[in-house]
Amino acid sequence: MRPNIQRAVEKARRDERLNLDDALALWESNDLPMLGSLAQRARFQRKPDNIVTFIASRNINYTNVCWVQCKFCAFYRLPNSPEGYTLPDEEIFQKIEELVEAGGYEILIQGGLNPKLRIDYFERLFGAIRDKFPTVHIHGLSVAEVMYIAKISKLTIRETLQRLQASGMRTVPGAGGEILDDEARQIIAPYKDTTQQWLDVMRTAHELGMRSTATMMYGHVETIEHRMKHLIRVRELQDETGGFTAFAAWSFQPDGTDLPIAKRSSGFEHLKMMALCRLMLDNIDNLQASWVTQGPKIAQISLDFGVNDFGQTMMEENVVSAAGTAFTMDAPEICRLIRNAGYTPRLRNAYYEDMGDPDLLPKPKRAPLDLPLVNA
């Protein structure tokens, strides 16, 4: 083992915080079992039980209209496109009703930067959801959406988040993190928020008492150093606020986008990435599996590489599937994968509080809207 790798391994075993050089050294190693062992050691120090959690949730993409034209996105449609949509309230309510009938209690609601939708739209929609479905948690709106709503509504970020919070939005998804390094962000999304803006919006949300997740999309134009700097920046904000509940990383899906790449990230690379995420993010309790992009088998294996959460049930998915990936999964299949890997499945909420035995979830009374086929 090369000296720099050995030094990083020894630091990890002594539970010392790893720096950028340590992370880059560990990435040089192709000893996947060793990296997995280090990551599992770190995982069980933060989560000493044998439990793998997940949440009964549903994605709702309320609009696909977006002017930002991110090169990695195949989901958006420009304003005035005949393929653009904004879902009517009745369809959103029907999707939530189907989730509730299946025992679910969280919606992840995200869309695009639609010039027609100002703060009043979201206050009205979230207020209506809160009134009709008081037990449903609204996990909503990416940093980019929050920033755009603030801009076109002539509000500050803090005012926007306060009004969204008052109307029923409780937590903020980490979507839009992509790679928190402006060198890469300028290539893949030149019109989107900067690294500092993303961090500042999350900081403000945390100051208001809103918890959030953090994410990374890797495997496009970024370097390994960009990835590790991303992890360090998330870790530094967590040191400051403690507001991140979990971290998720997934590989870029190139089909249908304006950002062609030579090859997709492999399962080997993903497991290595998960191990580094767990080792670097020593102050974030939960690391999510990425079965939406990697598929169920690699996600199952990742449970031995520092991952302790299987994400969410997926009644439908429109963003990643637009780029060529179409994995969906219900609670029984998630439980089967967790148990077959030697762990115990448990339901959680958005705050990672225990919500009980997933086997007690009711069966849905009817098929959900637009349910894609499982590609397993």
Side-chain angles (χ1 to χ4, degrees):
M1 189 180 295
R2 290 192 292 277
N4 55 346
I5 298 175
Q6 183 63 48
R7 199 161 45 243
V9 169
E10 290 171 358
K11 284 182 69 173
R13 287 174 176 162
R14 293 195 301 267
D15 302 322
E16 294 181 22
R17 174 164 280 190
L18 304 180
N19 60 29
L20 178 61
D21 289 339
D22 298 325
L24 295 175
L26 289 174
W27 188 266
E28 290 179 10
S29 173
N30 285 322
D31 188 344
L32 200 58
M34 180 270 291
L35 293 173
S37 176
L38 290 175
Q40 282 299 83
R41 183 178 182 277
R43 176 257 202 250
F44 280 108
Q45 284 183 325
R46 298 202 70 80
K47 293 286 185 176
D49 53 46
N50 208 47
I51 289 172
V52 172
T53 54
F54 70 97
I55 189 167
S57 177
R58 180 173 193 166
N59 282 5
I60 298 178
N61 302 119
Y62 62 95
T63 186
N64 68 342
V65 175
C66 186
W67 62 266
V68 179
Q69 302 178 68
C70 295
K71 294 180 182 179
F72 58 82
C73 182
F75 171 70
Y76 79 88
R77 295 296 182 269
L78 290 171
N80 300 319
S81 166
E83 297 179 340
Y85 72 80
T86 298
L87 294 180
D89 290 359
E90 293 72 20
E91 187 169 346
I92 292 175
F93 297 154
Q94 184 179 346
K95 289 174 182 286
I96 299 173
E97 181 65 36
E98 291 164 356
L99 172 72
V100 172
E101 289 177 355
Y105 37 82
E106 180 200 74
I107 55 169
L108 170 55
I109 185 162
Q110 295 180 131
L113 274 57
N114 188 330
K116 294 183 178 180
L117 305 181
R118 291 175 169 77
I119 187 70
D120 58 313
Y121 168 83
F122 297 96
E123 289 180 312
R124 181 192 57 74
L125 176 62
F126 292 168
I129 292 171
R130 180 194 58 204
D131 293 343
K132 288 179 178 291
F133 306 98
T135 63
V136 170
H137 179 102
I138 301 176
H139 183 51
L141 303 183
S142 66
V143 164
E145 288 169 284
V146 171
M147 288 181 59
Y148 189 60
I149 294 165
K151 180 179 179 179
I152 63 176
S153 305
K154 296 181 171 54
L155 299 168
T156 67
I157 296 297
R158 182 175 292 272
E159 289 169 340
T160 301
L161 285 169
Q162 286 174 324
R163 288 175 63 168
L164 292 170
Q165 187 179 30
S167 65
M169 193 177 95
R170 292 291 172 253
T171 51
V172 181
E178 274 80 71
I179 288 292
L180 294 177
D181 191 286
D182 287 337
E183 189 174 40
R185 291 178 82 82
Q186 279 298 308
I187 297 172
I188 64 173
Y191 306 119
K192 209 170 185 181
D193 46 286
T194 65
T195 294
Q196 193 58 54
Q197 287 173 324
W198 191 93
L199 294 168
D200 286 345
V201 172
M202 285 299 188
R203 178 183 291 106
T204 302
H206 296 170
E207 289 171 353
L208 293 172
M210 302 177 80
R211 305 297 297 276
S212 71
T213 56
T215 64
M216 174 195 290
M217 181 187 70
Y218 68 90
H220 39 86
V221 304
E222 88 289 351
T223 65
I224 301 304
E225 184 170 343
H226 289 151
R227 297 184 195 181
M228 301 311 152
K229 286 181 177 179
H230 177 116
L231 296 177
I232 289 171
R233 285 168 178 142
V234 170
R235 186 174 71 184
E236 289 173 346
L237 183 56
Q238 182 73 344
D239 279 343
E240 179 185 341
T241 68
F244 291 121
T245 56
F247 186 85
W250 59 82
S251 55
F252 169 58
Q253 304 300 305
D255 293 356
T257 74
D258 294 324
L259 196 66
I261 59 173
K263 63 178 181 179
R264 295 175 186 263
S265 296
S266 66
F268 182 95
E269 181 180 13
H270 183 72
L271 295 175
K272 197 173 177 181
M273 194 67 241
M274 290 298 95
L276 265 293
C277 289
R278 181 65 285 164
L279 291 169
M280 293 299 290
L281 299 175
D282 56 21
N283 56 1
I284 295 180
D285 286 341
N286 303 291
L287 182 61
Q288 290 185 8
S290 180
W291 57 263
V292 176
T293 59
Q294 288 294 322
K297 297 303 181 185
I298 293 297
Q300 185 184 47
I301 296 169
S302 74
L303 299 180
D304 290 331
F305 285 80
V307 170
N308 69 294
D309 183 79
F310 224 77
Q312 65 179 110
T313 55
M314 195 70 72
M315 298 174 75
E316 63 176 300
E317 200 291 317
N318 300 305
V319 178
V320 176
S321 59
T325 298
F327 294 110
T328 61
M329 214 179 301
D330 59 13
E333 179 64 5
I334 289 175
C335 290
R336 184 187 71 81
L337 290 165
I338 292 171
R339 290 189 176 109
N340 287 354
Y343 299 90
T344 301
R346 293 289 291 183
L347 287 169
R348 63 164 174 87
N349 63 16
Y351 303 104
Y352 281 78
E353 297 166 334
D354 187 276
M355 296 293 286
D357 185 348
D359 290 335
L360 300 180
L361 283 174
K363 296 286 190 297
K365 295 179 182 178
R366 61 177 181 270
L369 288 170
D370 305 321
L371 181 62
L373 296 175
V374 174
N375 179 9

